[in-house]
Amino acid sequence: MARPPIEVENVTKDFGKFKALDDVSLRVPEGNVLGLLGHNGAGKTTLVNILSTLSPPTGGTARIAGYDVVRQSRQVCARIGLTGQFAAVDEQLSGLDNLVLIARLLGAGKRAAKQRAEELLTLFELTEAAKRPARTYSGGMRRRLDLAASLVGHPDVIFLDEPTTGLDPTSRMGLWQIVENLVDDGTTVLLTTQYLDEADRLADSITVLSSGKVVASGTAEELKAEVGQRTATATLADPAEAPRALEALGRAGLSPVHDEQRHAVTAPVNASHELAVVVRALDEAGIEVSGLGLGEPTLDDVYLNLAHHASESAA
Ligand SMILES: Nc1ncnc2c1ncn2[C@@H]1O[C@H](COP(=O)(O)OP(=O)(O)O)[C@@H](O)[C@H]1O
Ligand SMILES: [Mg+2]
């Protein structure tokens, strides 16, 4: 049987005494999208760099299509496309010239290189801007050109490192559509993101990374079910009331957590009538609330909830 396109086993990465990755394992079956979800500094780029042979792991093994990223880096490079923080686009060259150059570097003849470049420019709706220097592109166009550049060599596996961070909502949705088209063509994708909604939309399964460790994995549905289908958030008029608010909601049968940054308490709820339970419990305890909301769980809710469970099981 063919090896899965992406396999990571017990990978660690040390920078001096600092552990950027700690015993990370995951695998991505062919044609699947894995969403690697984590805040800034979680270790996402470090893992992408290891998988794309740019930096060796300190321990453990990583394979692309069965090839070891350290010992068989040449075979690995022939199969991957990388876009992200350090994509290979030359700012001074036009979009067209960038893509032609990459195709030539990958060994295509003049005519074939031009043809591939034009194909990708059409696909990514960059035809009109094809002859302008890349430095004049908007953020969304630049991101599309990065992605096009990574696809020149028809890779089986692509790494998208925070492909939509910093993009406006329209460009973001355009990029999602492009990724979905790639996946329809059978490409295997590892996508890193800080956004639960992005992983939810694109990923078949999600691995949550926190301080270099895998803290959860499953489908978006499974992660949300752990947190609750929705999250009620009560912003406290007086942040010092947080302990009493947690106690009041606990007594009402909810599992609240404290969101210190937002001066709020949040609790997973499974039906909107539970919002009334939140209001009543806080009111009965005489706690003044300056804002109240019901929303989809965010990455922060997932983290808060995981941290909450971890501290409960440690207690
Ligand atoms: N070359 C390096 N030397 C030292 N520390 C590093 C290096 N690269 C990354 N780190 C640290 O490793 C952690 C993970 O970084 P990174 O993988 O870039 O996170 P993410 O991509 O999830 O934001 C961070 O704390 C970062 O400062
Ligand atoms: Mg990063």
Side-chain angles (χ1 to χ4, degrees):
M1 224 182 72
R3 305 291 296 254
I6 305 175
E7 291 172 284
V8 174
E9 277 170 17
N10 310 109
V11 161
T12 59
K13 179 74 186 185
D14 300 340
F15 293 112
K17 283 193 176 148
F18 180 74
K19 260 195 178 354
L21 292 174
D22 187 359
D23 201 22
V24 171
S25 298
L26 54 87
R27 58 176 52 209
V28 191
E30 189 171 346
N32 272 37
V33 181
L34 178 85
L36 187 65
L37 190 60
H39 283 312
N40 238 334
K44 303 181 297 297
T45 299
T46 302
L47 185 63
V48 169
N49 287 345
I50 288 171
L51 289 171
S52 45
T53 78
L54 298 175
S55 134
T58 311
T61 53
R63 284 184 225 93
I64 299 295
Y67 296 105
D68 187 278
V69 295
V70 178
R71 285 178 288 109
Q72 298 166 297
S73 58
R74 208 162 40 85
Q75 287 90 332
V76 170
C77 287
R79 284 164 179 83
I80 61 172
L82 170 67
T83 41
Q85 289 151 344
F86 305 101
V89 166
D90 184 330
E91 296 283 326
Q92 307 307 323
L93 294 181
S94 70
L96 177 66
D97 288 344
N98 263 296
L99 298 181
V100 168
L101 179 70
I102 294 169
R104 297 282 286 156
L105 287 172
L106 291 171
K110 240 185 194 158
R111 185 185 300 215
K114 183 141 186 285
Q115 194 185 343
R116 180 67 180 146
E118 280 168 354
E119 208 172 276
L120 287 165
L121 289 165
T122 307
L123 183 66
F124 290 92
E125 292 174 10
L126 289 169
T127 310
E128 274 176 39
K131 298 201 167 141
R132 268 169 38 202
R135 71 182 134 79
T136 66
Y137 285 18
S138 70
M141 290 163 72
R142 176 56 206 258
R143 220 59 78 88
R144 298 207 297 279
L145 181 63
D146 284 349
L147 190 47
S150 75
L151 295 175
V152 171
H154 299 279
D156 306 323
V157 175
I158 58 172
F159 304 123
L160 302 172
D161 194 7
E162 300 201 28
T164 67
T165 296
L167 291 187
D168 62 78
T170 313
S171 310
R172 206 164 166 238
M173 281 191 273
L175 215 93
W176 285 354
Q177 187 62 57
I178 288 171
V179 174
E180 281 169 343
N181 293 344
L182 286 176
V183 175
D184 286 343
D185 291 341
T187 311
T188 304
V189 179
L190 186 142
L191 169 130
T192 82
T193 180
Q194 304 196 29
Y195 309 115
L196 185 58
D197 64 335
E198 181 159 294
D200 190 7
R201 160 88 183 247
L202 296 174
D204 297 296
S205 66
I206 295 174
T207 294
V208 185
L209 207 56
S210 175
S211 305
K213 287 197 182 71
V214 173
V215 291
S217 54
T219 63
E221 290 312 311
E222 285 164 350
L223 288 182
K224 285 189 186 173
E226 271 185 43
V227 185
Q229 287 309 307
R230 317 216 103 202
T231 305
T233 304
T235 311
L236 303 172
D238 177 4
E241 291 274 48
R244 290 214 312 124
L246 292 174
E247 197 184 284
L249 295 179
R251 254 185 283 122
L254 299 169
S255 309
V257 292
H258 185 195
D259 185 339
E260 280 178 60
Q261 276 184 344
R262 288 188 276 178
H263 302 307
V265 288
T266 71
V269 293
N270 287 313
S272 50
H273 75 258
E274 284 188 330
L275 193 59
V277 175
V278 172
V279 176
R280 208 176 310 125
L282 294 174
D283 188 44
E284 276 169 11
I287 295 166
E288 205 185 319
V289 161
S290 62
L292 196 63
L294 191 63
E296 293 274 324
T298 64
L299 176 58
D300 284 318
D301 295 319
V302 173
Y303 271 127
L304 284 168
N305 208 258
L306 289 167
H308 182 66
H309 287 311
S311 64
E312 261 183 356
S313 53

